[in-house]
């Protein structure tokens, strides 16, 4: 219970207990800012981790073979951020690696954000040309295909609320892929997932 004292929580305790109000907006602001900061980092990696740039910097021999995996992981993280923005905020600005520094971001609808995140995930984890590493083939703590399957399952499970489409069959398909892989188990104590 000593995790966050009400006077020290800056509104986080109220959010965790579903009791927040307008005076607790900083927690919401921090979430929004952190998601867009992560998107910016992913976009920068995608701009800089190209074959041509790595070769021009003399890094291709050292990093070249891992470049597709790095890029796929950045795309996963960006898709995760957009899925979270879709969940928490609905219509949000869209920025990718092609957006210029001085460009004003385009406001996307929740459906456009959902579709974008879904297409990125499907592209990086497709069975035929997966850019993400196979389950359990990546370094500990890095993303593999199972993470993308899990995020797709989560998005499809929420699609009815987020975009008004029943995608429960798709949610079941990707949840089964995660379960059938068998390499990642659920926490034995529910409290451990938080």
């Amino acid at each position: 219970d000593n995790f966050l004292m009400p006077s020290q929580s800056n509104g986080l305790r109220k959010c965790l207990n579903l009791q927040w109000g307008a005076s607790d907006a900083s927690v919401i602001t921090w979430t929004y800012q952190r998601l867009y900061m992560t998107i910016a980092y992913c976009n920068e990696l995608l701009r800089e981790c190209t074959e041509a740039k790595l070769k021009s910097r003399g890094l291709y021999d050292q990093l070249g073979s891992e470049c597709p995996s790095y890029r796929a992981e950045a795309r996963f993280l960006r898709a995760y951020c957009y899925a979270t923005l879709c969940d928490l905020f609905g219509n949000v600005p869209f920025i990718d690696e092609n957006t210029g520094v001085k460009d004003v971001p385009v406001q996307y609808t929740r459906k456009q954000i959902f579709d974008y995140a879904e297409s990125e995930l499907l592209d990086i984890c497709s069975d035929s040309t997966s850019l993400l590493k196979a389950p359990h083939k990546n370094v500990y703590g890095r993303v593999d295909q199972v993470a993308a399957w899990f995020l797709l399952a989560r998005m499809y499970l929420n699609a009815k609320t987020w975009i008004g489409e029943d995608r429960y069959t798709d949610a079941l398909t990707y949840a089964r892929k995660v379960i059938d892989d068998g390499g990642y188990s659920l926490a034995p104590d529910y409290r451990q997932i938080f």
Side-chain angles (χ1 to χ4, degrees), residues 14-177:
K14 288 181 182 179
C15 285
L16 294 173
N17 291 310
L18 302 177
Q19 299 170 338
W20 68 86
S23 64
D24 305 307
S26 62
V27 174
I28 306 305
T29 301
W30 298 335
T31 301
Y32 185 86
Q33 290 171 341
R34 180 63 60 158
L35 290 166
Y36 273 104
M37 184 178 75
T38 302
I39 288 169
Y41 290 154
C42 292
N43 288 339
E44 191 61 19
L45 184 136
L46 292 168
R47 282 185 203 103
E48 298 301 321
C49 188
T50 65
E51 184 175 338
K53 286 189 176 181
L54 291 175
K55 283 182 177 178
S56 74
R57 296 172 182 150
L59 296 170
Y60 189 75
D61 291 338
Q62 182 181 359
L63 299 174
S65 63
E66 282 294 307
C67 192
S69 292
Y70 293 149
R71 293 177 60 81
E73 289 177 53
R75 290 172 66 192
F76 167 84
L77 292 171
R78 183 175 60 186
Y80 171 80
C81 289
Y82 275 121
T84 303
L85 287 162
C86 180
D87 181 21
L88 297 176
F89 300 101
N91 302 341
V92 294
F94 175 77
I95 304 162
D96 68 5
E97 70 273 22
N98 300 311
T99 305
V101 175
K102 294 183 181 181
D103 293 346
V104 175
V106 176
Q107 184 84 1
Y108 270 26
T109 65
R110 180 176 255 170
K111 171 84 168 114
Q112 288 173 305
I113 292 293
F114 181 96
D115 290 346
Y116 175 76
E118 177 191 29
S119 68
E120 284 287 276
L121 293 167
L122 291 173
D123 187 48
I124 62 175
C125 75
S126 71
D127 291 334
S128 60
T129 60
S130 181
L131 300 170
L132 283 177
K133 291 196 176 184
H136 322 288
K137 300 296 182 198
N138 211 343
V139 175
Y140 175 78
R142 288 190 36 208
V143 178
D144 65 21
Q145 289 174 331
V146 177
W149 300 337
F150 184 82
L151 182 52
L152 282 165
R154 179 181 176 272
M155 288 176 60
Y156 293 142
L157 187 63
N158 287 289
K160 187 75 171 168
T161 301
W162 293 357
I163 60 170
E165 294 179 14
D166 179 339
R167 302 289 297 271
Y168 297 126
T169 302
D170 294 324
L172 178 60
T173 297
Y174 281 94
R176 278 203 173 129
K177 287 179 84 132

